[in-house]
Each structure stands twice: as structure tokens, then as C-alpha cells.
Amino acid sequence: MPDEPQLTVQGWAPSGARVATLRAREDAADGSDDGVLELTADPDLRAALPKAARRHLARQLGWTPRPTPPVPVRDIRLGPSLLPAPARAAFAALLGKEHVADDRATRLAHAGGRSYLDLQRRRAGDASDAPDAVLTPGGTEEVAAVLRACSELGVVAVPYGGGTSGVGGLAGTDVDDRPVVAVDLRRMNAVHAVDVPSSLVTVGPGMRGPALEAALAEHGLTLGHTPESWEFATLGGYAATRSAGQSSTGIGRFEDLVAGLTLATPTGTLELGRPPASAAGPDLLGLALGSEGTLGVITELRLRVRPRPRTTRYEGWSFRSWAAGLAALQRLARHDLLPDVVRLADPDETRATLLQAPRTRALRARLRARGRGAGCLLVVGWEGLPTLVRARRTAAGSVLRDGGATRLGGRMGRAWVRFRFAGPQLRDRLLDAGLLAETLETAAPWSALPAVYDAVREALETSLTRPGRRPLVLSSISHGYATGAALSVTVLADRDDELPLQQWLSAQRAATDAVLAAGGTLSHHFGVGVDHRPWLAQEIGPLGVDLLRAVKQQLDPQRVCNPGVLLPD
């Protein structure tokens, strides 16, 4: 078995992708290790997580570090392909034999996404969510033909981009147990047109963020959408899940950057969106954005781009308390002064960040000397013309100081930029060492944020606490709006090696119920997938669910487009 599927099955990196590695160096001044946390059986964790951070986790969690690597790829259980020979022949006739694959390595490489449940199943050797075959169409007409054939043959079609879904969006679950094909869009990865005067670019859905930025740079342009999955996720995936990037406070969520798109469905092809704007009835573009492959496959995108920023400035600030940080951000939002990047960490996440980042011992001592302890770390960033960046920084800085913040300088901002895409690799190392590690996200109005924050923390702590073991819940404001903000919550806990899936399912259920009861949204940027599907009716109402079902019935009457996600049964 070649090595490449191992990387895909365990981590984020498909063939040819650059893996962002965490090169945090241990601070020798933190003192000698007590021997408990050496983790000699797991050198990758020692390289990725400084000594002080490992010690902190063990103390906080009651965690016993232990090697829990995934099973070798050769031992992953994968049943035979259930795609009938006539269906395979039909797809080969449409696409060419070379674009229809059902070998073990290809099927494994398209098994599931990146949710904790996805990872735990694959690490345990369960690839039951792998497709029966992988199709690689080359354009809109081929995708439309594939979907028509799937509808006629009774084959489920699951769009596949970068495989980075964090909510079970690639499960392909079907109540009728029909064969499943992954419609991999990697061949549809070209820039089709760049309209510089109109600030528009037309691209294929299989293109990744780095490739698009490189192409736009030749024209002095940028899209600027950089979620944590930026190196591996695709533009089509961003649209299908209504992604939010790290700079979305400034430039908007991905849906705000979509001027139009093409959606291939089993019953026809839709051209949606008319830039710059139209009043010709309801905006049907919104139906495709966030549809998660349940209505069809996005085959082309027309995106709003902007000039590449001439200046970028990132810096750190510190607040004494979480409440003070929220109040300052709310004031910035009220006066339209929010920076392009806003990341406010609560005390627990701040402490973890400072322990993880290299060379922060002096900063920790400086904060303690000012009576702040760890406080709450805020990272802000501005991009654009130098004069505008200076003016915005000055105005925002005044508000932050009035709110009691202390400026930490550019080093903390540059450290955040350096490690902004490193989380997924660190997560793999934590899973290798016996930890549960997962992230939830929501959004709420400013008035409801404190209640949502308290509710989700209490729910996770209650559901994951056991004798001698308790979770560590790390929270941060990750995106700001005039009316509220998004809250990202990462939870770490000593994993239940006997029932790891049930451990997280119980915690996720409790956290989701708590968030919705407190006034938060079901999802801010991960989407719905399988994981959040049971709660969708609480977000959009039963009539809203019926409306989506009616649209699906019109576009996909045989229910072959990614059933099992988004829409409740």
C-alpha cells in the first residue's frame, strides 16, 4: 500500500498540498520536566507542543498521556464496492474509464471528513462511510450528466472538494442503502475569467485557496478568504457550507463574496446571481449557498475580489477580563471600527495560547507584573491602503485603551499569522496521545453572547467530567459583526478509550441544546451536515424545513444528492 493514503486518511493533506507544521520550540526557562510528560512514545507531540503546555494539559484534564495512534492503512476495514457493473459502465461512458475509480486507495482517500467522529472512526479502522466509487468530471455538462445518470440508476452522489467538513457533511448516508459515488471536483480547478474593472473572477469549484491567490496576484488582486482549512478546502466547499474566513470581519463571509454560481442538478442546470445587483424577485442564489450538496453540485463560481492590500498590520492586546474584552469589541462594532481580523480569547484559551507559543515567558511575566495574570488576549489585524490602515488602527486603539486594554505589540500578531493554519496538525497529535479534541462554533447577538458562552461551557464541563478527569474548554470570539459575534469553542478531554464516540455524542448533544436555548445559532461557519441535522428545525422552523424539502423535490426528486445531511428525516 502506498504511503499517500495514510496522510489523507489521518490528516488534511491531499497529494501535492503543503502541510503547515507547528514548529513551536520549548522554552528552556520553563524548568525541567517532571518525567510524567516526556511522552517518549510520541515524539511528534513533543515537537508540536511545548513542555509547559503538555504539563498544563495533564494537570488540568487528569490526562494520562499515552500513544493511541490510528490503525495502519492496510488494517482499515473497507467492504467491496457495491456499485453495479452496469452503473460503472454508464459512468465510464460519460467520463472515460480513467475518471471512474473504485480501488481501495482511492475510496479510502474519500472516506468522510474531519469531524471528531469522522476521525475516530477512521483511526479505529472503520471506513464504512467510504464511497463505492469516485468520479472525476471535468465540467458542468459532465457533472449534470452524472447527476442525471445517478437519478436514473439509483446511485447517491456526494460532492467532494477538500474533504475538510467538520460536521459529517460527506457521510452519504442513505436510508435505502443505495450505492454511493463521490463526485470529486479536483479537475474543475481553473480560473476561467478575470474581470479586473468589475473586480470579478470566474473559477471552478475544485480550486483551492492558495492556487486562486497565486493566480489573482498576477492581476494585483486577492479574494482574501482564509479559513483554517484554507490550504486544503476548495472554493466549492466554501460556497456549499457558507464558510467564514479569518478575515471575514473585514471582507465578509464567503457568501458575501459570491456574485453568482452555476448549480448542476438532476433535473437541470441553474445560473444564479446577476452582479452587481438585481431586484428581479427573490434571490435564488441564497438557496445554493449553504445547500451542502443536497440540491446539486456547484460547478462554477463568480467571486468578488479586491486589490491586494499594500499594508498588513497584526498586533496583540490584553484585557483584564472576558467581560471587558466583549464590551470593547461591542463598542468597536457599534462605531463601525472593527478590524479586519478579530480574535478575542477567554482566560483559558489565553493561557493555553501563551503556553503553546514560543518565547512567551517574558510576556507572561510582564502581564503578571501588571496584575493581569493571563487576562484575555486579543489579536487584531488590518489590511489595505497605508493611510486607511493607520487611521483605522488609531481609532480602534483609542477605543481599546478606553476599554482597559494594554497593547502587547506586533510580535503577538505575527505569531498568530505564523501559526494560523496549524491547528489541524496539532489536533492529530493530540488524538495520537489519548485526547478528545473538537471545536464547536456558534454566533449570537452581543446581548446574548455572555449567556451563550456560559451555557456551552457548563454543558461541556458537566457532560465530560468524570472522577479525576475534567475537560478544558477554550473559547474565543472569532468573527465580529455590528449586531453580534461568532464564538468558537474548543474542548479537550481525556478520551474514553472504551466508548470514544458515545463520549463525544453525549457532549455534543448537551452543548447544542444549551447553545440554542441560550440564543445562539446552530452553526456560524461549519454548516449542518449530519452532526447538526436533528436541530435544523429549531433554527429555521418546521415550515422552513418543508420549504427546503419542496425545493429538493423539484431539483432532486429521486433524493440522490447527498442525502442524510442538512435536512432532517
Side-chain angles (χ1 to χ4, degrees):
M1 182 66 60
D3 291 336
E4 184 179 346
Q6 173 71 47
L7 193 58
T8 305
V9 169
Q10 181 182 351
W12 289 69
S15 176
R18 181 176 66 85
V19 179
T21 56
L22 189 63
R23 298 185 177 89
R25 293 180 293 180
E26 296 190 6
D27 187 349
D30 278 336
S32 61
D33 202 298
D34 58 13
V36 176
L37 304 175
E38 280 295 334
L39 286 178
T40 54
D42 189 4
D44 286 343
L45 182 61
R46 296 187 65 196
L49 203 61
K51 184 187 307 180
R54 299 198 307 273
R55 185 163 53 234
H56 176 66
L57 286 180
R59 289 171 179 166
Q60 291 290 313
L61 305 177
W63 164 51
T64 302
R66 57 199 182 277
T68 56
V71 302
V73 171
R74 63 178 177 276
D75 294 336
I76 294 179
R77 301 181 298 279
L78 180 66
S81 172
L82 300 180
L83 186 68
R88 194 186 195 288
F91 292 132
L94 291 173
L95 306 177
K97 292 182 180 179
E98 67 274 21
H99 299 306
V100 180
D102 56 8
D103 59 281
R104 175 181 169 86
T106 301
R107 292 174 62 203
L108 280 180
H110 292 77
R114 288 288 302 184
S115 74
Y116 177 75
L117 298 175
D118 287 334
L119 294 179
Q120 278 302 117
R121 292 189 186 102
R122 292 204 297 278
R123 293 171 68 88
D126 177 5
S128 57
D129 56 356
D132 295 297
V134 177
L135 313 182
T136 51
T140 298
E141 291 183 2
E142 288 190 352
V143 172
V146 163
L147 294 180
R148 287 194 300 271
C150 285
S151 188
E152 295 167 0
L153 297 167
V155 175
V156 167
V158 178
Y160 190 94
T164 60
S165 171
V167 288
L170 302 174
T173 306
D174 181 49
V175 295
D176 298 322
D177 291 327
R178 293 174 291 184
V180 177
V181 295
V183 182
D184 190 322
L185 304 172
R186 66 177 181 267
R187 291 177 59 208
M188 300 167 62
N189 62 358
V191 174
H192 300 153
V194 179
D195 184 347
V196 175
S198 304
S199 296
L200 292 171
V201 61
T202 304
V203 299
M207 179 165 263
R208 302 180 193 275
L212 177 60
E213 291 295 344
L216 290 176
E218 299 179 6
H219 302 274
L221 300 171
T222 181
L223 180 66
H225 186 77
T226 52
E228 192 174 54
S229 59
W230 178 70
E231 296 174 297
F232 309 111
T234 59
L235 301 172
Y238 295 155
T241 58
R242 296 172 69 185
S243 167
Q246 294 169 340
S247 300
S248 68
T249 300
I251 68 171
R253 294 154 52 93
F254 192 74
E255 64 203 69
D256 301 317
L257 305 179
V258 179
L261 59 78
T262 303
L263 181 73
T265 81
T267 56
T269 298
L270 290 169
E271 295 288 343
L272 304 174
R274 290 291 184 271
S278 172
D283 185 4
L284 298 181
L285 178 61
L287 281 173
L289 295 170
S291 60
E292 301 187 26
T294 60
L295 304 180
V297 178
I298 295 169
T299 60
E300 190 173 72
L301 290 154
R302 291 167 290 286
L303 304 175
R304 298 182 176 94
V305 293
R306 60 196 178 100
R308 290 178 65 81
R310 290 173 52 188
T311 297
T312 58
R313 293 295 298 268
Y314 293 87
E315 60 190 35
W317 292 73
S318 175
F319 287 94
R320 290 183 182 274
S321 69
W322 174 247
L326 285 181
L329 292 187
Q330 182 182 356
R331 187 178 176 196
L332 286 174
R334 188 181 302 121
H335 295 286
D336 196 24
L337 292 174
L338 282 170
D340 299 312
V341 172
V342 174
R343 310 286 291 195
L344 174 67
D346 76 347
D348 286 321
E349 180 160 316
T350 295
R351 179 171 174 79
T353 299
L354 294 178
L355 288 172
Q356 177 182 328
R359 299 186 298 279
T360 60
R361 186 170 183 265
L363 175 58
R364 297 198 299 270
R366 174 181 161 197
L367 292 173
R368 284 195 298 268
R370 297 187 179 189
R372 291 178 175 266
C376 288
L377 176 66
L378 171 68
V379 172
V380 291
W382 293 268
E383 301 178 345
L385 294 173
T387 53
L388 293 179
V389 167
R390 283 195 298 271
R392 294 175 65 202
R393 282 186 65 222
T394 299
S398 177
V399 172
L400 294 174
R401 288 189 180 90
D402 288 346
T406 297
R407 186 176 182 273
L408 304 179
R411 175 177 291 182
M412 184 57 66
R414 291 190 295 273
W416 177 82
V417 171
R418 180 184 175 193
F419 296 108
R420 65 195 300 189
F421 305 122
Q425 285 70 40
L426 176 58
R427 182 194 192 190
D428 283 336
R429 302 289 76 77
L430 296 174
L431 295 180
D432 287 343
L435 282 175
L436 179 160
E438 181 61 305
T439 297
L440 302 170
E441 43 79 38
T442 183
W446 291 111
S447 57
L449 265 173
V452 172
Y453 170 80
D454 290 339
V456 70
R457 284 179 60 87
E458 181 180 357
L460 289 170
E461 289 173 354
T462 300
S463 59
L464 290 170
T465 295
R466 298 292 183 272
R469 296 185 297 175
R470 61 184 298 271
L472 181 59
V473 182
L474 314 174
S475 305
S476 64
I477 296 298
S478 57
H479 309 81
Y481 301 91
T483 55
L487 181 70
S488 293
V489 181
T490 296
V491 60
L492 303 174
D494 193 24
R495 188 167 65 240
D496 183 338
D497 291 334
E498 296 296 322
L499 296 169
L501 300 185
Q502 188 58 46
Q503 180 190 26
W504 176 242
L505 284 169
S506 298
Q508 180 200 43
R509 186 180 305 114
T512 304
D513 287 340
V515 163
L516 294 178
T521 62
L522 182 59
S523 174
H524 173 259
H525 55 269
F526 280 4
V528 176
V530 170
D531 294 0
H532 294 152
R533 181 181 58 159
W535 290 272
L536 182 64
Q538 290 182 241
E539 175 97 1
I540 67 174
L543 184 59
V545 173
D546 289 343
L547 177 61
L548 289 180
R549 285 184 176 139
V551 174
K552 182 172 178 65
Q553 177 63 28
Q554 181 66 37
L555 299 179
D556 178 26
Q558 300 304 315
R559 300 178 296 104
V560 298
C561 292
N562 209 9
V565 307
L566 187 62
L567 291 172
D569 293 331

